[in-house]
Amino acid sequence: MDDDSGVIYPRGLRNDGLPAALSDPDRLAAVRATGMMDTDPETVFDDLAQVAADVTGCARAFITFVDDERSFWKTCLGVPAEGVRERQNSVRESFCTFVVGLEGEPFVVDDARIDPRTRDHPSVEAMKIGAWAGHPILGPGGEVLGSICVIDTEARTWSVSETTTLATLARAVGNELHLRQSLADCQEALETSRELALSFQDSFRPPHLALTPDHVQAAASFRPAVAEVGVGGDFYDLYHAKGPWWCAYIGDVCGKGIEAAKETTLARYTLRAAGSRVLSPAAVCRWLNAALLDQRGGKRFLTAAYATFRSTPGGITGRLCLAGHPPALIRRADGRIQELGRHGSMLGIFREVRLTDVRFRLAPGDLLLLYTDGATDARPKRHPDRPKPVPFGDEALAHALAQCQDMDAEATIAHLNSILDTYGQGWAADDTALLALRVPSRSEHAIS
């Protein structure tokens, strides 16, 4: 059923002409469970809204939660509203009504003044809305809790990269909400705490790597620390940037727990946003450094190894930047191991950073490995009656990688994890993330 604007809502309309989904009991229960309604602003949500504003160039960005009567602005950048009563409007005045009514679909308007869906909406003139783009924030059961949106005073065409960024930021808000609710439940039992905290570590990593360009293999893994309960700070990603270019990165936030997870979230989505605009890894890392200082105040640092690459007739060509991170390793087809990258500054501490792009090429049979220091710091658990355990070390990791000659990316990652697990005797002092890119050998090409 649709309303006067012609928007078709899956559940139809209420008696007052607004989407029936607004009053769905399960959705309302999920909104209440967030504990977000009528609460003060929080830095973690302001940070994500600021990323949305920066990426789109909009002066106004909102994170909104919606019940059956009100649209509450948890964050309202660019709007002089301080008190709880000022940071809300009725659902009839809110564009978020469209997002809730469409039950999980984004709502994007290039010119709100002439679009038949919105031209008669009361907020177009009241809030000076020229263009509006929003993506739903989902609860654990897929319930639409509200939206993250940006508003431009002038009409504009929203780019794919802008709407994609809104989608990833909406997921980040959802992750934060899920994390809080689950950690509250964790207080009931230590074992429950451990299981849920580890599951939320997973929510800050991509569930699987993106499909790579033709004739490029990719594999990654994450092994959580077992030394303590908590959410860690290792992260990685692989995604298409633009044109023939792809981006891969791995990083490590100092510390553990919720604060490290917040830093991880901001880093991942800032890197994605920056990577869609510039192809220099050093420039992307500088962008992240500025975001960390501006949004997090230099309270916590991170290291990262960031690469951009593209396929060529002869394999892969690309550039790598190290931001305080261990060098990447290249395993050549003949088994030789080479370090890649020039040491650069850690991110999130100083405004001025020293970062350098280093070019690389992978020929058929070559493999590039990015890793966090959990790999080189792997060691058995210490016992009072035994000598102090020795870390696995850089040379041992290089040797282990050389042993994987002729293995594809998946097999290489599996083999390295097996060696690390054996060396650590099933115990890990730190989180460990691995990411590999490989060009298949010519014989593999022939078979495929």
Side-chain angles (χ1 to χ4, degrees), residues 385-434:
D385 56 344
R386 299 179 187 175
K388 183 178 179 179
V390 178
F392 191 64
D394 298 331
E395 292 186 7
L397 181 63
H399 179 70
L401 184 60
Q403 292 177 336
C404 305
Q405 183 182 0
D406 298 328
M407 292 184 185
D408 63 17
E410 288 281 359
T412 297
I413 294 297
H415 186 70
L416 291 177
N417 279 323
S418 176
I419 290 176
L420 293 172
D421 189 61
T422 299
Y423 187 83
Q425 299 174 10
W427 186 85
D430 195 6
D431 299 337
T432 304
L434 306 173

Side-chain angles (χ1 to χ4, degrees), residues 44 60 178 233:
V44 61
R60 289 179 289 173
H178 303 166

Side-chain angles (χ1 to χ4, degrees), residues 258-312:
I258 296 176
E259 290 303 315
K262 291 177 182 178
E263 206 92 350
T264 298
T265 301
L266 178 61
R268 286 190 60 224
Y269 297 116
T270 301
L271 288 172
R272 277 227 175 199
S276 66
R277 294 193 166 198
V278 295
L279 292 175
S280 164
V284 172
C285 289
R286 289 190 184 96
W287 189 325
L288 174 58
N289 185 64
L292 291 170
L293 290 172
D294 293 342
Q295 306 302 322
R296 307 299 291 166
K299 296 179 180 179
R300 195 179 294 266
F301 68 85
L302 65 82
T303 69
Y306 188 99
T308 59
F309 66 95
R310 63 181 177 87
S311 294
T312 68

Side-chain angles (χ1 to χ4, degrees), residues 23 48 87 417:
S23 301
L48 294 172
R87 291 187 290 112
N417 279 323

Side-chain angles (χ1 to χ4, degrees), residues 32 69 97 127 148 178 184 230 234 291 330 346 351-353 356 376 380 385 387 402 437 443:
R32 288 193 297 270
E69 298 179 350
T97 300
M127 296 187 67
I148 180 169
H178 303 166
D234 284 12
I330 292 180
M346 293 183 293
R351 185 68 60 177
E352 296 297 324
V353 289
T356 306
T376 52
D385 56 344
L437 300 173
S443 62

Side-chain angles (χ1 to χ4, degrees), residues 172-221:
V173 175
N175 283 341
E176 175 69 14
L177 297 173
H178 303 166
L179 181 63
R180 291 183 180 196
Q181 290 176 255
S182 294
L183 288 180
D185 295 337
C186 289
Q187 296 175 359
E188 297 181 4
L190 179 61
E191 183 60 29
T192 302
S193 175
R194 179 180 182 278
E195 292 175 358
L196 290 177
L198 291 176
S199 73
F200 275 91
Q201 172 67 65
D202 292 338
S203 74
F204 288 97
R205 299 192 315 279
H208 54 77
L209 296 180
L211 295 176
T212 51
D214 291 341
H215 306 307
V216 177
Q217 300 171 350
S221 70

